[in-house]
Amino acid sequence: MGHSVEVTKDWNGIDQVVLRNARGASAQVSLHGAQVTSWRSNQGEELLFTSSKAIFKPPKEVRGGISICFPQFGNCGSPEQHGLARNKIWTIDKSPPPFGSDDSYGKSVIDLLLVPSEEDKKYWLHSFEFRLRVSLATNGNLTMTSRIRNVNGKPFSFSFAYHTYFSVSDISEVRIEGLETLDYLDSLCQKERFTEQGDAVTFESEVDRVYLSSPNIIAVLDHGRKRTFVMRKEGLPDVVVWNPWEKKSKSMMNFGVEEYKQMLCVDGAAIEKPITLKAGEQWTGQLEFSVVPSSFCSEHLDPRWRPFE
Ligand code: TA6
């Protein structure tokens, strides 16, 4: 069996795309929000968390997977928490404009498109074309590339995040490397700015932070499963780290009380300094996820890695 791309229907009759590589890995992308609802390794292990209490009912996003936060992260006084993109039905983009290099070679690829309707413009007035490419490589790596073009007459600004729920063995066995010494805005303290003091980020209570201007490569080490997620990003200076812990979990409707132990959100994002696009301009933000045995890590993480070269 080689690479494949298959379109099926989900429970709500909405199209979902299943990408497969030749070695057993897969990724599932719903046209509802362009949300990645599953990513499985070459060994068939699920790598993303989805709540057992998740509600699969559009227009709301599903609690888990990877959702797209655009044109804002958070709610900024608007009724749509994390923006409209994740609550819209996207279409399959049959003729995406070419990428600089042939990005699809040896991969299973789907291109999706979101263009706002007149109704959407009541909420966010600007005209844009949002193209998302999701690809699965032979080594099982998952890449998401967003290209957002201003097709408005005038400039607009936005913030952005790939809101990613990793599946972990036990949150107390997990640490993040790559964020040490950085400044972060603490959403639990009115977005006050602090500096990370630890050698790595570890978890023993609720955490909700935006780490600023981070390196392009960070690692989430899961001791319990002896596996490490490596996140390489481009165009996304910030990293959101979130775990609701026990008390907040109880107040979340579509989330099990104990589930905070099995998940960790680490989002490649552009939040502190919004992106501004002039008429006709395009922005690109890319994330590549890989999973490796923990023994493999650290010395193999090359901070000079750049996806666009
Ligand atoms: O920082 C991440 C965050 O904004 C948290 O404040 C928390 O509310 C979380 O996202 C929830 O996001 P979701 O849309 O998945 O419910």
Side-chain angles (χ1 to χ4, degrees):
M1 194 179 71
H3 287 278
S4 69
V5 179
E6 189 192 354
V7 181
T8 60
K9 296 266 181 216
D10 72 8
W11 293 312
N12 295 303
I14 295 170
D15 283 347
Q16 59 181 6
V17 183
V18 184
L19 306 176
R20 290 195 173 82
N21 75 3
R23 298 190 186 160
S26 64
Q28 195 170 293
V29 190
S30 174
L31 264 56
H32 172 214
Q35 187 167 358
V36 175
T37 52
S38 165
W39 171 38
R40 288 181 184 274
S41 67
N42 284 344
Q43 290 69 40
E45 289 173 308
E46 179 59 60
L47 303 169
L48 300 177
F49 168 88
T50 301
S51 171
S52 63
K53 300 276 192 308
I55 301 166
F56 295 85
K57 203 166 174 228
K60 296 307 287 176
E61 79 296 339
V62 171
R63 164 103 38 220
I66 307 173
S67 62
I68 305 279
C69 304
F70 169 84
Q72 93 255 353
F73 184 79
N75 60 16
C76 305
S78 127
E80 297 216 53
Q81 149 100 337
H82 295 332
L84 56 78
R86 65 183 190 161
N87 299 335
K88 297 290 158 204
I89 302 294
W90 293 53
T91 55
I92 293 178
D93 191 2
K94 298 253 164 54
S95 49
F99 280 74
S101 54
D102 186 9
D103 174 71
S104 62
Y105 183 75
K107 293 176 183 166
S108 169
V109 173
I110 186 74
D111 287 291
L112 300 181
L113 174 65
L114 179 68
V115 176
S117 64
E118 286 309 310
E119 186 62 27
D120 297 336
K121 287 187 198 158
K122 287 187 192 149
Y123 158 75
W124 202 62
L125 172 94
H126 307 291
S127 296
F128 62 86
E129 286 168 1
F130 187 150
R131 293 194 151 80
L132 173 72
R133 169 167 286 190
V134 182
S135 65
L136 183 71
T138 306
N139 59 9
N141 288 8
L142 180 74
T143 303
M144 299 179 74
T145 309
S146 289
R147 296 185 290 171
I148 297 172
R149 180 174 294 283
N150 181 343
V151 291
N152 225 12
K154 38 185 177 352
F156 63 68
S157 299
F158 62 90
S159 54
F160 183 93
Y162 290 106
H163 188 28
T164 305
Y165 284 74
F166 288 110
S167 168
V168 299
S169 59
D170 181 339
I171 187 66
S172 53
E173 299 276 321
V174 174
R175 70 173 200 269
I176 306 177
E177 291 185 1
L179 302 177
E180 48 281 2
T181 74
L182 298 184
D183 280 5
Y184 62 86
L185 306 178
D186 193 339
S187 304
L188 302 177
C189 300
Q190 289 79 45
K191 304 211 162 52
E192 204 182 319
R193 196 175 179 121
F194 296 94
T195 302
E196 179 58 54
Q197 304 292 343
D199 291 342
V201 181
T202 54
F203 301 88
E204 47 193 28
S205 60
E206 184 179 357
V207 169
D208 192 351
R209 299 176 183 167
V210 182
Y211 284 85
L212 306 174
S213 307
S214 84
N216 276 341
I217 182 156
I218 65 167
V220 179
L221 290 84
D222 181 345
H223 286 300
R225 293 226 173 88
K226 299 202 174 358
R227 76 181 176 200
T228 296
F229 295 103
V230 181
M231 199 166 104
R232 298 177 170 91
K233 59 191 178 60
E234 188 68 19
L236 302 160
D238 306 323
V239 173
V240 179
V241 177
W242 179 59
N243 183 287
W245 217 255
E246 197 172 356
K247 185 155 160 267
K248 181 149 190 202
S249 298
K250 289 186 181 146
S251 70
M252 286 160 49
M253 206 178 51
N254 49 359
F255 194 72
V257 175
E258 297 279 311
E259 284 185 328
Y260 73 93
K261 295 178 184 164
Q262 292 140 36
M263 56 70 70
L264 175 62
C265 282
V266 185
D267 311 353
I271 295 172
E272 191 204 17
K273 297 183 186 116
I275 313 286
T276 299
L277 290 179
K278 294 193 194 116
E281 273 184 347
Q282 175 173 279
W283 168 85
T284 302
Q286 186 177 71
L287 266 193
E288 180 181 351
F289 299 102
S290 46
V291 63
V292 293
S294 286
S295 54
F296 175 87
C297 223
S298 296
E299 68 272 28
H300 291 83
L301 302 180
D302 181 353
R304 290 164 303 173
W305 185 88
R306 291 281 179 284
F308 297 142
E309 277 169 9

